[in-house]
């Protein structure tokens, strides 16, 4: 496998305390120079990264179950990404596509048209970040429908800009003290099976009925420009909406002339074992937003969708200085090439098989694991307080303290894991899809040890 251009050896190595002395020195410098509002999960400073490993400045090699938040699915130094981006760097770094265009941008849009669900005519526009893509999807939907309202969901996450803060559900840390927020945003329930009040069985049916009722009664379907949803909710806790919910909402959107936007920024590009998570239920979105995994670590994002919707914005109405930067486009073409050549959808499916097998066995042994869920290499465990009732539903109360303690114990052993969830009680696993199976199992061994010690 020639997936990695350079990067560290593919093994775990813990040679100092984590973080080590050099990282601590850098962290002190950072404290004086970097704004306090910018956090870090684990303040070890990176020297090299690739495959399934992050090497820090103290010589520790961590197993990577985070992929820089679902970005480096092809690894952090994928051969095709490095080769294509380096060649592009040497040719030119920037012209601004809105000034003089270049082929790479067009090629990425052609790939997006082929890879996204549906065989209708599609067009794309490229941006720098996921939030920017979501904002532009809303702009495009409003221009097309000539309506203003946007419907989003409980536990949804769409970014940190002003409009996307309004679209995001969770106050802390994303919104607190940063208002006022953009108007015409309406939030409705999502079919969260594990915590649905009347249980998982009726979740899809009841949740979709509630959503449709709320939109019809409180907003008016004829006022809604877009419904924006993550097919698997990411920051909100790796929630897979109960089967049947997404198709019901997509159907309602279609029947009422509402643009259905799938935010696949975290779930897209092979992460869930398919090119896009909405394929799982055969849902064909009108617009789809992508970023994170698209470009092997370089900043790139896109809105892709029905040509007639994408063309609704007036000429010159969309864009930005750096959107679709040539180096980022070259990297995206390298990442897509890698996904195809190494069949990373199959890899993600295999990761799911290994992870779910082992995590389910851990759930049998440790009753603080309330739920094991997710798809492909987007897998999570929800941690609970057994026997302690939650405010609603049959699931026990969330256990954010155990979640934080487990993450900390894993970090100390050289396994990088991330937490998420509205209640801060979800441990999520997002390994690069190119991680070796030995490292994957070693990471799970560490997690199991941390559970046993808790
Ligand atoms: C990360 C994320 C975003 C925001 O992307 P940025 O590149 O951080 O702006 C939007 N939607 C989803 C689903 C995400 O996971």
């Amino acid at each position: 496998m020639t997936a990695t251009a350079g990067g560290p050896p593919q093994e775990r190595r813990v040679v100092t305390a984590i973080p080590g002395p050099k990282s601590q020195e850098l962290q002190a410098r950072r404290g004086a120079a970097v704004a306090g509002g910018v956090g870090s999960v684990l303040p070890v400073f990176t020297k090299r990264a690739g495959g399934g490993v992050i090497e820090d400045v103290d010589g520790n090699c961590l197993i990577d179950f985070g992929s820089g938040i679902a970005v480096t699915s092809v690894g952090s130094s994928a051969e095709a990404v490095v080769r294509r981006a380096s060649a592009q760097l040497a040719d030119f770094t920037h012209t601004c596509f809105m000034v003089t265009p270049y082929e790479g941008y067009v090629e990425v849009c052609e790939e997006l048209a082929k890879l996204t669900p549906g065989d209708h005519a599609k067009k794309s526009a490229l941006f720098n970040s996921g939030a920017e893509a979501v904002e532009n999807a809303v702009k495009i939907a409003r221009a097309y429908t000539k309506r203003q309202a946007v419907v989003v969901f409980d536990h949804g996450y769409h970014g940190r800009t002003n409009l996307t803060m309004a679209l995001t559900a969770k106050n802390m840390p994303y919104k607190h003290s940063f208002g006022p927020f953009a108007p015409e945003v309406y939030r409705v329930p999502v079919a969260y099976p594990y915590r649905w009040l009347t249980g998982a069985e009726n979740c899809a049916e009841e949740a979709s009925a509630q959503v449709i009722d709320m939109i019809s009664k409180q907003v008016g379907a004829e006022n809604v420009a877009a419904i924006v949803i993550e097919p698997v909710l990411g920051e909100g806790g790796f929630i897979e909406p109960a089967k049947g919910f997404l198709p019901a909402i997509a159907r309602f959107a279609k029947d009422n002339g509402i643009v259905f936007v799938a935010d696949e920024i975290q779930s897209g590009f092979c992460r869930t074992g398919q090119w896009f998570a909405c394929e799982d239920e055969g849902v064909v979105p009108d617009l789809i937003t992508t970023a994170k995994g698209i470009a092997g670590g370089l900043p790139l994002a896109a809105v892709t969708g029905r040509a007639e919707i994408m063309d609704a914005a007036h000429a010159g109405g969309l864009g930005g200085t750096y959107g679709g930067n040539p180096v980022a486009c070259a990297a995206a073409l390298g990442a897509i090439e890698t996904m195809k050549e190494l069949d990373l959808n199959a890899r993600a499916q295999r990761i799911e098989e290994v992870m779910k097998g082992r995590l389910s066995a851990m759930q049998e042994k440790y009753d603080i694991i309330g739920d094991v869920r997710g798809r492909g290499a987007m897998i999570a465990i929800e941690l609970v307080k057994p026997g302690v009732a939650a405010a609603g539903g049959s699931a026990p109360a969330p256990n954010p303290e155990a979640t934080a303690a487990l993450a900390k114990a894993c970090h100390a052993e050289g396994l990088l894991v991330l937490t998420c969830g509205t209640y801060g009680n979800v441990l999520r696993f997002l390994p690069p899809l190119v991680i070796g199976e030995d490292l994957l199992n070693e990471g799970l061994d560490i997690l199991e040890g941390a559970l046993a010690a808790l």
Side-chain angles (χ1 to χ4, degrees):
M1 197 155 90
T2 57
T4 300
Q10 293 301 295
E11 62 183 27
R12 179 176 68 106
R13 197 168 60 201
V14 179
V15 295
T16 70
I18 291 180
K22 287 184 179 154
S23 278
Q24 288 180 32
E25 237 177 85
L26 284 163
Q27 181 69 0
R29 271 173 58 196
R30 169 206 173 134
V34 178
V38 183
S40 289
V41 171
L42 178 58
V44 302
F45 281 72
T46 311
K47 185 177 161 210
R48 291 189 296 177
V53 171
I54 296 171
E55 183 180 6
D56 74 10
V57 289
D58 289 290
N60 300 299
C61 287
L62 311 181
I63 300 175
D64 181 12
F65 275 11
S67 299
I69 317 185
V71 170
T72 53
S73 298
V74 297
S76 306
S77 45
E79 187 278 329
V81 172
V82 174
R83 168 171 42 84
R84 285 184 183 243
S86 305
Q88 179 58 49
L89 263 174
D91 282 345
F92 63 96
T93 56
H94 173 84
T95 61
C96 184
F97 192 75
M98 301 185 306
V99 178
T100 58
Y102 37 86
E103 185 177 356
Y105 189 117
V106 179
E107 247 184 295
V108 170
C109 295
E110 288 168 349
E111 284 292 341
L112 283 163
K114 279 186 244 163
L115 296 172
T116 51
D119 49 15
H120 49 278
K122 289 176 216 155
K123 292 191 175 183
S124 293
L126 304 184
F127 304 97
N128 302 294
S129 70
E132 215 189 334
V134 174
E135 292 237 359
N136 278 278
V138 171
K139 282 163 71 172
I140 293 164
R142 283 176 171 162
Y144 176 72
T145 57
K146 304 192 168 57
R147 306 171 179 178
Q148 292 187 351
V150 181
V151 171
V152 289
F153 293 81
D154 283 340
H155 309 290
Y157 179 84
H158 301 287
R160 295 173 180 265
T161 57
N162 187 267
L163 174 57
T164 58
M165 276 193 292
L167 303 179
T168 291
K170 193 177 175 181
N171 175 50
M172 212 42 180
Y174 308 121
K175 302 166 76 162
H176 185 75
S177 79
F178 298 147
F181 304 110
E184 286 306 317
V185 174
Y186 300 89
R187 190 170 310 285
V188 294
V190 74
Y192 181 177
Y194 183 63
R195 293 198 177 276
W196 193 250
L197 279 172
T198 56
E201 203 145 292
N202 310 312
C203 178
E205 210 175 305
E206 289 180 9
S208 54
Q210 276 183 27
V211 166
I212 290 167
D213 187 61
M214 282 177 77
I215 294 175
S216 308
K217 298 286 179 344
Q218 299 178 21
V219 194
E222 68 277 17
N223 297 317
V224 179
I227 296 176
V228 184
I229 188 165
E230 301 156 83
V232 177
L233 286 81
E235 302 305 302
F238 281 25
I239 299 164
E240 297 174 88
K243 288 259 179 288
F245 181 76
L246 283 178
I249 301 302
R251 207 174 315 117
F252 173 76
K254 188 167 195 277
D255 290 345
N256 290 280
I258 299 168
V259 176
F260 182 81
V261 183
D263 181 350
E264 293 252 16
I265 286 167
Q266 190 154 166
S267 56
F269 281 101
C270 307
R271 178 50 60 184
T272 65
Q274 308 193 66
W275 282 100
F276 297 97
C278 59
E279 291 171 53
D280 210 49
E281 290 187 89
V283 170
V284 178
D286 298 313
L287 299 181
I288 180 163
T289 54
T290 52
K292 295 201 165 98
I294 190 176
L298 275 86
L300 189 72
V303 183
T304 301
R306 295 185 189 279
E308 68 274 18
I309 301 178
M310 291 300 296
D311 280 340
H314 54 277
L318 305 176
T321 306
Y322 295 112
N325 169 272
V327 181
C329 286
L333 295 169
I336 293 167
E337 175 188 320
T338 307
M339 291 173 196
K340 290 179 182 168
E341 274 187 3
L342 301 181
D343 192 359
L344 292 188
N345 279 320
R347 283 292 311 153
Q349 288 161 24
R350 174 63 188 157
I351 289 170
E352 173 177 345
E353 195 180 352
V354 171
M355 282 202 146
K356 280 208 170 148
R358 294 209 44 194
L359 293 169
S360 300
M362 291 179 215
Q363 186 183 20
E364 304 261 295
K365 266 170 81 177
Y366 302 104
D367 56 4
I368 65 164
I369 303 182
D371 197 21
V372 176
R373 60 177 179 249
R375 294 211 283 273
M378 187 172 181
I379 302 288
I381 54 177
E382 175 159 355
L383 296 150
V384 296
K385 297 176 176 160
V388 180
S394 52
N399 196 340
E401 299 83 10
T403 310
L406 276 175
K408 195 164 167 233
C410 290
H411 295 164
E413 292 296 318
L415 171 67
L416 177 61
V417 292
L418 309 176
T419 61
C420 66
T422 300
Y423 315 109
N425 69 325
V426 177
L427 208 52
R428 60 171 156 173
F429 312 114
L430 290 162
L433 307 181
V434 295
I435 193 172
E437 205 155 307
D438 48 345
L439 282 179
L440 186 67
N441 273 306
E442 197 178 339
L444 291 163
D445 293 342
I446 292 169
L447 175 69
E448 188 156 16
L451 273 163
L454 196 70

